[in-house]
Amino acid sequence: MQSEQARQLRRERKRLKREEKRRSFRPPPADATMLLRALPPMGEALLEYARPLVSGLLPADHGPDELKPVLWFASLFWNSVLEEEEVDEAIPILARKLVGKLQMPLTEAFRLSEALALRRVQLFGHDPRIVSNVEVSRDGDRLRVTARSTVLAEDAARLRAGSGPVMP
């Protein structure tokens, strides 16, 4: 009788351990997960964000080899600014990068930097993702943009809490 009870207790403890282990593999049931899944794929978001840069720098018949560096450059802008307070501080730094990398006149670089920084905040400010990789390939007669992204821990916490600039 006692050995049967001990066996049942052991089974119950093992069952609880397995259940705890399963729960640790599941994503937490939070609104943050749902909000991130509702966002468009990062490649699409980055391409839409970079549209002014692409149309200003590339010919209409550009290929993946021309598009990839422009999207990498756009990801630099994307990752630099998330809040409106950061725009004024980021513009001179981003403009210097445009001048250095693209040999663009300073006034044009400032104008484009400001436009991209404001575009990030105004149209994509709710998106907390940071671009970590960009790939461009040809898919038939179309170009396919694939971008890998991550969410910083502090932005994920704000997203879960329902506060901060990452919320629409």
Side-chain angles (χ1 to χ4, degrees):
M1 184 73 144
Q2 191 176 13
S3 64
E4 181 63 30
Q5 286 176 339
R7 212 172 326 160
Q8 283 179 345
L9 282 173
R10 227 182 1 257
R11 278 191 212 139
E12 182 64 17
R13 272 185 269 165
K14 284 183 177 182
R15 185 188 68 75
L16 290 173
K17 258 188 177 177
R18 281 193 310 269
E19 186 61 34
E20 182 63 32
K21 200 174 195 178
R22 281 188 203 117
R23 267 189 250 128
S24 72
F25 288 124
R26 292 184 198 139
D31 293 338
T33 305
M34 295 304 293
L35 285 173
L36 287 175
R37 287 186 182 155
L39 294 171
M42 191 69 235
E44 288 177 22
L46 183 63
L47 189 59
E48 179 60 31
Y49 169 71
R51 193 162 310 284
L53 196 60
V54 170
S55 64
L57 297 176
L58 297 178
D61 61 342
H62 61 271
D65 293 335
E66 295 91 10
L67 183 59
K68 184 176 179 177
V70 173
L71 290 179
W72 264 109
F73 208 66
S75 73
L76 175 85
F77 282 79
W78 176 280
N79 293 343
S80 297
V81 180
L82 184 61
E83 298 179 24
E84 199 162 349
E85 296 81 37
E86 298 171 339
V87 170
D88 290 336
E89 187 178 309
I91 289 173
I93 297 165
L94 297 172
R96 279 195 300 266
K97 293 206 180 284
L98 281 173
V99 169
K101 296 276 185 192
L102 303 177
Q103 310 305 315
M104 187 178 280
L106 189 59
T107 56
E108 179 68 16
F110 265 93
R111 187 190 63 72
L112 190 55
S113 296
E114 184 176 28
L116 284 170
L118 289 173
R119 184 174 173 82
R120 169 68 167 119
V121 171
Q122 293 168 352
L123 300 178
F124 301 94
H126 63 280
D127 195 332
R129 299 174 292 180
I130 299 295
V131 180
S132 58
N133 187 20
V134 177
E135 293 296 327
V136 181
S137 60
R138 191 165 289 285
D139 185 16
D141 59 342
R142 296 181 34 205
L143 293 178
R144 178 184 298 223
V145 176
T146 308
R148 192 168 288 193
S149 63
T150 59
V151 177
L152 299 177
E154 61 268 16
D155 291 333
R158 276 189 253 159
L159 193 60
R160 272 195 292 285
S163 63
V166 296
M167 296 297 294

